[in-house]
């Protein structure tokens, strides 16, 4: 058996197109474009790439992009003051503070300072709590995008056994909540889990969000299971001095067994930015007192 390769890049491109097509109707009713503010502190190269991509995608969707680049020695007070200004700015619907922050800044305090209605990353405890109790919330983008791919491949997820490997607040925990909302039977595995391969072998759905290159092996996967690889790991390539990206899943092995699988790159990664635009459009509608578009 060779797995169906889930084309996250194509799905994300379609989603971004649908979002962009909805923006003019919002502009006509609200009298302004949805606005996303992205704050980058310091000069971490990976974060710079992410912020550039987010800016480009925001503008392409017809939204306003507000970029704030601050030096690495910015004080916590100065960053909190900027967040307060963005909270008060009526043109800003979404605020994203790019993580990681420099070590002298408490990221929890910064995330807590963001207005939950503008928390398009879905990391604020108010949004995490709403997700946990099943209320309408802004949901973290990577798990939301992963769920969209799963529903696209499998349709109804009810009754399926999902094993989520990883319990971070950004990916693992919200992913598990979303799958539970879909009536999956959910197991959350982590670094202290005993006999992980045996647990993964029970799964109809495997979501790997660990940060360990190719940890999930082909003989862990049940025949026909759907595998979502969230991991992004840079490893040495065959050519000296070069690197390449791999996921948390041993892709070549798992494609022989799985029913469907996301590649890295080109799987979950592109969904994250598409869902950021989706959350910004939804937040903009709520803030303008308009019903959020359905089917996004
Ligand atoms: P974290 O480091 O915050 O969490 C990793 C999780 O993996 C932890 O819960 C940890 O367990 C668990 N873990 C570590 N080692 C093992 C092990 N040997 N067996 C089982 N579980 C283990 O990472 P994130 O959740 O932030 O990210 C996970 C991956 O996803 C990374 O590769 C990251 O780059 C990628 N990512 C990709 C995104 C995208 O857009 N595609 C967006 C966000 C992240 P414990 O809690 O016990 O320590």
């Amino acid at each position: 058996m060779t797995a169906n390769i889930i084309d996250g890049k194509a799905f994300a491109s379609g989603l971004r197109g649908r979002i962009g097509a909805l923006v003019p109707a919002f502009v006509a009713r609200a009298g302004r474009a949805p606005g996303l503010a992205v704050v980058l502190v310091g000069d971490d190269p990976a974060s710079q790439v992410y912020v550039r991509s987010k800016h480009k995608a925001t503008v392409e969707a017809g939204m306003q992009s507000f970029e704030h680049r601050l030096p690495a020695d910015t004080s916590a007070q100065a960053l909190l003051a900027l967040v307060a200004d963005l909270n008060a700015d009526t043109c800003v619907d979404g605020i994203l503070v790019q993580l990681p922050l420099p070590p002298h800044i408490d990221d929890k305090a910064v995330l807590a300072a963001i207005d939950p209605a503008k928390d398009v990353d879905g990391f604020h405890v108010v949004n995490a709590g709403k997700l946990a109790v099943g209320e309408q919330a802004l949901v973290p983008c990577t798990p939301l995008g992963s769920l969209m791919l799963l529903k696209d491949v499998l349709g109804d997820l009810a009754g399926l056994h999902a094993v989520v490997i990883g319990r971070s607040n950004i990916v693992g925990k919200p992913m598990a909540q979303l799958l539970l909302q879909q009536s999956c039977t959910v197991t959350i595995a982590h670094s202290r889990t005993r006999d992980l391969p045996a647990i993964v072998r029970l799964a109809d759905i495997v979501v790997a969000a660990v940060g360990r290159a190719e940890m999930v092996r082909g003989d862990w996967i049940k025949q026909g299971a759907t595998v979502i690889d969230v991991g992004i790991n840079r490893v040495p390539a065959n050519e000296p001095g070069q690197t390449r990206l791999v996921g948390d899943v041993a892709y070549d092995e798992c494609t022989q067994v799985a029913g469907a699988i996301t590649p890295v790159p080109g799987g979950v990664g592109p969904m994250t930015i598409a869902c950021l635009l989706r959350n910004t459009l939804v937040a903009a509608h709520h803030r303008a007192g308009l019903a959020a578009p359905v089917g996004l």
Side-chain angles (χ1 to χ4, degrees):
M1 178 177 192
T2 304
N4 163 25
I5 309 304
I6 301 170
D7 189 346
K9 202 171 164 192
F11 191 99
S13 164
L15 177 57
R16 282 165 54 174
R18 293 200 297 284
I19 292 165
L22 290 164
V23 168
F26 176 85
V27 174
R29 296 176 74 186
R32 62 176 184 84
L36 173 64
V38 176
V39 181
L40 174 63
V41 184
D43 41 25
D44 176 63
S47 294
Q48 297 213 9
V49 173
Y50 292 142
V51 167
R52 258 200 308 277
S53 312
K54 285 166 187 173
H55 169 77
K56 189 165 167 274
T58 307
V59 172
E60 276 173 12
M63 300 186 189
Q64 282 212 79
S65 168
F66 307 99
E67 259 188 46
H68 295 268
R69 291 169 180 267
L70 307 178
D73 61 358
T74 298
S75 68
Q77 287 87 334
L79 180 55
L80 288 169
L82 173 60
V83 169
D85 286 348
L86 297 173
N87 283 342
D89 188 335
T90 51
C91 294
V92 171
D93 298 294
I95 302 170
L96 183 151
V97 177
Q98 185 67 47
L99 300 178
L101 288 169
H104 66 278
I105 300 179
D106 174 8
D107 53 5
K108 283 198 184 71
V110 174
L111 296 181
I114 296 172
D115 177 351
K118 297 188 177 187
D119 170 38
V120 283
D121 250 343
F123 296 162
H124 195 287
V125 288
V126 166
N127 281 313
K130 284 184 173 177
L131 175 63
V133 296
E135 280 182 27
Q136 189 179 69
L138 287 167
V139 175
C141 301
T142 302
L144 181 60
S146 300
L147 180 70
M148 287 180 185
L149 295 179
L150 279 168
K151 288 175 78 168
D152 188 52
V153 174
L154 294 171
D156 184 11
L157 307 183
L160 297 179
H161 185 182
V163 174
V164 179
I165 317 174
R167 57 174 164 178
S168 72
N169 293 334
I170 294 174
V171 189
K173 279 183 200 153
M175 185 77 243
Q177 296 286 4
L178 287 170
L179 290 164
L180 194 56
Q181 272 182 11
Q182 298 296 315
S183 298
C184 289
T185 302
V186 182
T187 302
I188 307 175
H190 46 77
S191 66
R192 308 293 298 273
T193 295
R194 293 184 189 168
D195 201 355
L196 183 60
I199 289 170
V200 175
R201 275 183 205 113
L202 300 173
D204 304 304
I205 295 169
V206 181
V207 181
V210 184
R212 294 172 79 100
E214 300 178 327
M215 184 187 83
V216 177
R217 311 308 309 187
D219 65 357
W220 297 17
I221 302 298
K222 183 164 85 174
Q223 191 81 36
T226 302
V227 179
I228 302 292
D229 190 352
V230 179
I232 301 177
N233 308 287
R234 196 164 279 284
V235 297
N238 291 336
E239 309 81 51
Q242 299 294 304
T243 58
R244 65 190 176 99
L245 290 182
V246 297
D248 291 341
V249 170
Y251 183 76
D252 290 343
E253 291 176 19
C254 292
T255 47
Q256 303 307 309
V257 198
I261 186 168
T262 56
V264 176
V268 173
M271 293 301 292
T272 299
I273 289 185
C275 286
L276 176 65
L277 300 179
R278 181 253 177 219
N279 281 355
T280 303
L281 186 63
V282 168
H285 278 79
H286 289 156
R287 291 189 59 257
L290 302 170
V294 286
L296 273 185

